[in-house]
Amino acid sequence: MTVTVINYDRAMGRWEPNARGRLEEAALELYGERGYEQTTVAEIARRAGLTERTFFRHFADKREVLFGGGTLLEERLTAAVAAAPDSAGPLEAVAAALDAVGPLFQERHERSRRRQAIILAHAELRERELIKLATLARALAGALRERGVGEPAASLAAEAGIAVFKIAFERWTDEPGEADLRQAMREAFAELRAVTAGTPAP
Amino acid sequence: MTVTVINYDRAMGRWEPNARGRLEEAALELYGERGYEQTTVAEIARRAGLTERTFFRHFADKREVLFGGGTLLEERLTAAVAAAPDSAGPLEAVAAALDAVGPLFQERHERSRRRQAIILAHAELRERELIKLATLARALAGALRERGVGEPAASLAAEAGIAVFKIAFERWTDEPGEADLRQAMREAFAELRAVTAGTPAP
């Protein structure tokens, strides 16, 4: 618990320690146990030991509980693109950014696996995920242009990076146990290079 | 007017010569004139000189008028991937497929420009377009696997190809006059190769 989090929750109303995280965990449990459609906001709040009002201070609806991390991810990715060495090419900068956010997911492997299973099972959630990925690609392209990368190189590098992320993420969440997301992303980048160069993958 | 179209329309009910195309044209006119939200299905049907009932034989709602070509595009793309020479690598096969469908769009440049402007102006239409592109990527990956391409190479080549298509298509619809979509796609593929190889674009 950091001072920032406490201040944030206080600013939103009654202080509930880590309300956001508890709501996310409660939602994932209930979606897994009884299904996404069958779960209500009231049930999520109850499972988390919080009120519906607290739920709606943090999330617009039960779908958004699954997508709450998007803004943080976008901030981290664009900051990492900005921080990449001057010598890095556009796709290298994107690869460095994805590498930098790997640990954010890695420590939540089981939670990511449960979340992914719920998303894959529902068309409306898959669509929301596509929108999130498109938003990330747009943000990455913007961060590359800030580095002086022209178009269409900036958009192509961003879209290619997000394709790598998507495919590596799916493979990673497909595997139980100790699978390594950063390793999966590095392998997918290598495969993309091989595919683009027209040579067979190693 | 081909025999196929006539049979198709007959099978659906009362025969209306090229009803589908007339509805598409009427919808684009009205969306451009008075805005997408402000246009009703009744108005589209009236402008096309047809009934609402005929409209609903062809499209689920006023949004789907803009996305009616998706199935044909998917069929053409996957057929072209299947027909690519055995020697073609995955991305080459995708590039050949995109090249093959270029003329479908080229002859509708003005219509594509009008459609794109409407889609870009509405979040729900941009989302529907993302879903269409994701569906095409999945179909392309499937066609590549049919050729014996393994994963993740098939998905990466498909996603990269769709990124090229998306970016080239946006540039093409940005330009009035005689812009060449196939040329734009070839340039975007060359740029993707340059970006992926880590060298500056030519």
Side-chain angles (χ1 to χ4, degrees), chain B residues 170-191:
Chain B
E170 280 170 11
R171 291 171 77 82
W172 177 65
T173 52
D174 239 17
E175 288 182 38
E178 297 301 303
D180 183 336
L181 175 60
R182 286 211 276 197
Q183 183 59 28
M185 291 195 291
R186 284 173 195 152
E187 283 167 14
F189 269 113
E191 187 88 28

Side-chain angles (χ1 to χ4, degrees), chain B residues 76-77 80-81 94-105 182 185-186:
Chain B
R76 295 277 178 98
L77 284 173
V81 165
V94 170
L98 290 175
D99 209 60
V101 299
L104 281 184
F105 293 102
R182 286 211 276 197
M185 291 195 291
R186 284 173 195 152

Side-chain angles (χ1 to χ4, degrees), chain A residues 89-92 126-127 130-131 134 137-138 150-157 159-160 163-164 166-167 171 187-189 191-198 201, chain B residues 89-92 126-127 130-131 134 137-138 150-157 159-160 163-164 166-167 171 187-189 191-198 201:
Chain A
L91 198 65
E92 272 176 279
R126 290 196 303 271
E127 292 169 10
L130 283 178
I131 294 160
R138 213 163 30 240
E151 285 293 353
S155 289
L156 281 165
E159 296 277 354
V164 160
K166 182 181 166 190
I167 288 160
R171 292 172 77 83
E187 283 167 14
F189 268 112
E191 187 89 28
L192 176 69
R193 284 202 172 86
V195 159
T196 313
Chain B
L91 199 66
E92 274 176 278
R126 291 197 302 272
E127 291 170 9
L130 283 179
I131 294 159
R138 213 163 30 239
E151 284 294 352
S155 290
L156 281 164
E159 296 277 354
V164 160
K166 182 181 167 189
I167 287 160
R171 291 171 77 82
E187 283 167 14
F189 269 113
E191 187 88 28
L192 176 69
R193 284 203 172 85
V195 159
T196 313

